[in-house]
Amino acid sequence: MISGKKIIVVMPAYNAEKTIEKTYADLPKNVVDEVIVVDDCSRDRTVEIAKKMGLKTVVHQKNTGYGGNQKTCYAEALKDGADVVVMLHPDYQYDSTLTPDLVKPIIEGRYDLMFGSRIRTRVEVLAGGMPLKKYILNRIFCVIENLVLGVNFTEHFSGYRAYSKKVLQALPFKKFSDDFAFDQEFMISAIAAGFRVGEIPVPVRYFSEASSIKWWRGSKFLLQTLSTLLKFIIFKIGRVKFKIFISQKA
């Protein structure tokens, strides 16, 4: 715990047998109170390895998708009494040693939601292995989202995030997409509700075992992102009250 706050790390896992142990090994155990692995019907030894490490492991009987996996992650973390929930991909792309830096602004009450940005400099991110095409698309969509949402982030596609309990209790995350658009809907919904969002820089780390979205799914994700941004604009001008933007914020 930090300042008496229970910190739970959730790992939405799918075929992560080659990387989950390294990801977990880097977590600062003096900060993290519990780790929950939610396996989305993997076809490898992810579940076996997670249980061998002594981690709480929830297994889906059928594949629910990236967003569907996270819905279970957050429901389980809230059930276990989390004050702060860290979502960490178990593919070893993100430096989990930075978890204290990620959660500290939330615990101090400065932010409600934090994420780790991989985009610090073009040279660094490309040297870390991010494909040039992916970097260019990331930059383009970052500019678009910043303009639409009225923010100034260096990235919007991070898979390393921390949420306060009140954000998870207020936002209708169970109504979000079961696909990769989940993260975008969550972030945009949080901004629409007036929650404070911050970021810290994290090193980029790409390698053969790390997860990657296939081009056709990536294209679908980008179209879903644009669709969510359009809904946000319509919502802000008061035309339609989309359910994903209706929070229970006090």
Side-chain angles (χ1 to χ4, degrees), residues 5-8 82-86 103 106-107 162-165:
K5 302 294 185 181
K6 186 172 185 178
I7 300 169
I8 294 181
D83 294 299
V84 180
V85 179
V86 177
V103 302
I106 295 177
I107 291 171
Y163 304 109
S164 67
K165 176 173 66 175

Side-chain angles (χ1 to χ4, degrees), residues 105-250:
I106 295 177
I107 291 171
E108 292 177 344
R110 293 185 284 119
Y111 290 100
D112 305 301
L113 189 163
M114 292 286 298
F115 65 92
S117 171
R118 300 164 294 178
I119 312 295
R120 294 191 287 188
T121 68
R122 176 174 58 84
V123 173
E124 182 181 37
V125 73
L126 293 179
M130 181 179 283
L132 179 60
K133 183 184 295 185
K134 188 169 186 176
Y135 170 77
I136 293 172
L137 286 171
N138 194 305
R139 296 293 78 219
I140 292 172
F141 272 78
C142 185
V143 171
I144 293 172
E145 293 198 53
N146 281 343
L147 289 173
V148 172
L149 301 175
V151 295
N152 188 28
F153 298 136
T154 57
E155 183 183 16
H156 286 265
F157 296 164
S158 173
Y160 186 29
R161 305 183 177 209
Y163 304 109
S164 67
K165 176 173 66 175
K166 68 178 180 180
V167 168
L168 291 169
Q169 291 176 332
L171 297 184
F173 67 84
K174 292 183 179 179
K175 297 179 182 177
F176 296 165
S177 171
D178 285 337
D179 208 340
F180 286 102
F182 179 93
D183 284 344
Q184 292 298 288
E185 291 184 354
F186 203 123
M187 180 70 75
I188 296 171
S189 180
I191 292 172
F195 284 111
R196 298 162 299 169
V197 182
E199 66 177 358
I200 63 168
V202 296
V204 63
R205 190 160 55 194
Y206 278 82
F207 50 97
S208 59
E209 288 85 5
S211 63
S212 180
I213 305 177
K214 302 300 181 182
W215 72 267
W216 65 271
R217 297 200 71 179
S219 299
K220 178 182 176 183
F221 163 70
L222 295 178
L223 290 174
Q224 289 172 329
T225 297
L226 291 174
S227 174
T228 305
L229 288 171
L230 179 59
K231 290 178 182 177
F232 174 82
I233 294 171
I234 296 172
F235 175 80
K236 292 300 288 186
I237 62 178
R239 296 296 184 185
V240 180
K241 298 296 182 183
F242 294 103
K243 292 181 180 180
I244 62 172
F245 298 136
I246 300 176
S247 72
Q248 300 299 316
K249 185 179 179 182

